[in-house]
Amino acid sequence: MKKISIFLSFSLLNFVKSSGQDLLSPRPDGHAPIGVMGDHTHKAGEWMLSYRYMFMEMEGNRSGTNQLTHQEVLNQGFMVTPTSMSMEMHMLGAMYAPSDQLTLMAMVPFTSFTMDHLTRMGGMFTTETEGLGDIRLSSLLKIYEDDSQSIHLNAGLSIPTGSITERGNTPAGANSKLPYPMQLGSGTFDLLPGITYLTQSDNWSWGAQLSGTIRLGQNDEGYTLGDRLNGTLWAARQWNHWLSTSIRIKASKWDNIDGADTDLNPNMIPTANTALRGGERIDALLGLNIVIPSGPLAGHRLAVEAGAPIYQSLNGPQLETDWLMTIGWQLAW
Ligand SMILES: [Cu+2]
């Protein structure tokens, strides 16, 4: 009798353990939509490498929820208005789990920004910057897990490896300091706290993540980027053992800049004005996750997610977001 009960509790333990592992299994929706960072943890001893390509297109200006013509921006007294901006990012990621409870993560971004402008005189010009962004180091700490749900805390630090002294040729002068959104980093150490909830049933999975960016101190150019708060909610359906699709809502809110870079003239162009940087936005996104089922690349994950804002209110004039996309590759072993 004692033997049986030991056997039973062992099997039960194994069952709980193995179904717990299933939550982050090779299921295609075992990872969140690729636009979500720090969404999953790993089992003790596991490694993962990832690559993401992210693209965001912004065109036209907005103040509050109202769209502004270029002329309306210039009529507010600025010499120049930005007309569009594209942001590209290549992000390399690595994850390692020293234990089932703790996963470590590092992310290294390479960014490039292009901004087009219109001057009062009717001239047009473009500025470009590119290079290493701010490297992020995170710990993901699992605080709850049962056979269908898990919760982990995200504790990250952003290291100011991205340049905040990027320069370019503008009508204001050759090789002049470029405005805030063209800089590659924050210039400050930033805390990245968060909490992530995951749950799944036979063919569906859901997740939610609340995360923030808290800037510490002031950077060498004399300013602090605004803090940021993100909340996201997604649902995914697995169609077979290698394909899932997802829908996601992401809400973000970010503050204006504190302090100022004295090299920038806030009356020249809205992007140099620290009071015209904050805003809030809600994006709706559709995604696809694939786990390659067989062949030499079996187990490699490919994913894409793209979407557009369904609401945005900006301290403007400020460029509005039109659409965004993330394509990714992941491999765990
Ligand atoms: Cu991973």
Side-chain angles (χ1 to χ4, degrees):
M1 188 62 191
K2 201 177 174 189
K3 258 186 187 165
I4 290 173
S5 72
I6 288 173
F7 173 73
L8 273 177
S9 50
F10 243 100
S11 325
L12 193 65
L13 256 175
N14 274 324
F15 172 74
V16 168
K17 206 175 156 204
S18 63
S19 31
Q21 288 170 352
D22 281 342
L23 188 57
L24 302 170
S25 73
R27 266 177 74 150
D29 61 340
H31 287 190
I34 192 71
V36 184
M37 312 285 159
D39 60 292
H40 63 270
T41 56
H42 285 274
K43 286 174 287 184
E46 253 182 27
W47 285 87
M48 190 185 91
L49 285 180
S50 65
Y51 164 75
R52 282 181 177 86
Y53 170 76
M54 292 182 268
F55 183 84
M56 184 160 117
E57 181 70 28
M58 308 170 97
E59 192 167 4
N61 286 276
R62 172 177 294 234
S63 188
T65 55
N66 297 321
Q67 291 178 311
L68 301 175
T69 64
H70 302 326
Q71 197 54 50
E72 285 173 321
V73 178
L74 295 170
N75 287 348
Q76 295 193 17
F78 297 104
M79 301 302 293
V80 179
T81 178
T83 56
S84 68
M85 180 177 186
S86 51
M87 308 168 69
E88 273 184 289
M89 186 181 286
H90 301 274
M91 185 139 82
L92 300 175
M95 297 175 89
Y96 171 70
S99 76
D100 286 349
Q101 279 68 45
L102 179 66
T103 296
L104 305 174
M105 181 169 79
M107 290 196 292
V108 182
F110 298 90
T111 47
S112 62
F113 299 140
T114 304
M115 194 181 282
D116 295 324
H117 308 78
L118 178 68
T119 70
R120 254 188 209 202
M121 311 305 289
M124 296 193 286
F125 70 99
T126 300
T127 55
E128 292 176 341
T129 56
E130 64 177 349
L132 179 64
D134 290 341
I135 293 175
R136 295 172 158 214
L137 304 175
S138 299
S139 295
L140 313 182
L141 186 67
K142 192 175 286 182
I143 55 171
Y144 178 80
E145 182 175 38
D146 63 28
D147 57 358
S148 66
Q149 308 174 87
S150 76
I151 299 173
H152 65 262
L153 299 179
N154 303 59
L157 183 68
S158 171
I159 317 282
T161 46
S163 161
I164 54 167
T165 55
E166 291 296 301
R167 294 176 167 270
N169 298 330
T170 73
N175 203 36
S176 51
K177 180 80 75 73
L178 293 177
Y180 305 104
M182 294 301 287
Q183 299 300 330
L184 304 174
S186 70
T188 49
F189 284 90
D190 305 328
L191 296 180
L192 307 167
I195 184 166
T196 307
Y197 170 79
L198 304 169
T199 181
Q200 67 181 215
S201 64
D202 284 349
N203 286 317
W204 287 88
S205 59
W206 294 266
Q209 186 182 68
L210 197 64
S211 61
T213 305
I214 300 167
R215 319 285 180 183
L216 302 176
Q218 193 174 75
N219 64 29
D220 291 343
E221 303 304 298
Y223 66 94
T224 308
L225 289 184
D227 289 343
R228 181 175 269 274
L229 184 66
N230 294 319
T232 188
L233 204 66
W234 69 91
R237 168 82 157 86
Q238 76 164 353
W239 300 97
N240 52 45
H241 66 290
W242 59 270
L243 174 71
S244 67
T245 51
S246 60
I247 53 170
R248 182 162 77 95
I249 293 289
K250 179 186 179 189
S252 333
K253 184 173 168 47
W254 62 100
D255 293 335
N256 283 328
I257 293 173
D258 266 345
D261 183 336
T262 50
D263 291 343
L264 298 173
N265 176 357
N267 302 316
M268 179 71 73
I269 178 169
T271 49
N273 189 320
T274 57
L276 303 178
R277 298 310 313 153
E280 52 192 34
R281 203 172 85 218
I282 300 175
D283 300 330
L285 303 119
L286 296 175
L288 193 73
N289 283 7
I290 290 172
V291 181
I292 297 177
S294 59
L297 297 180
H300 289 241
R301 287 176 165 274
L302 300 173
V304 58
E305 188 184 36
I310 52 174
Y311 168 81
Q312 57 186 323
S313 176
L314 306 173
N315 299 336
Q318 192 183 144
L319 283 174
E320 63 174 34
T321 298
D322 285 349
W323 61 277
L324 55 157
M325 178 189 70
T326 304
I327 298 175
W329 165 88
Q330 297 171 321
L331 180 65
W333 66 90

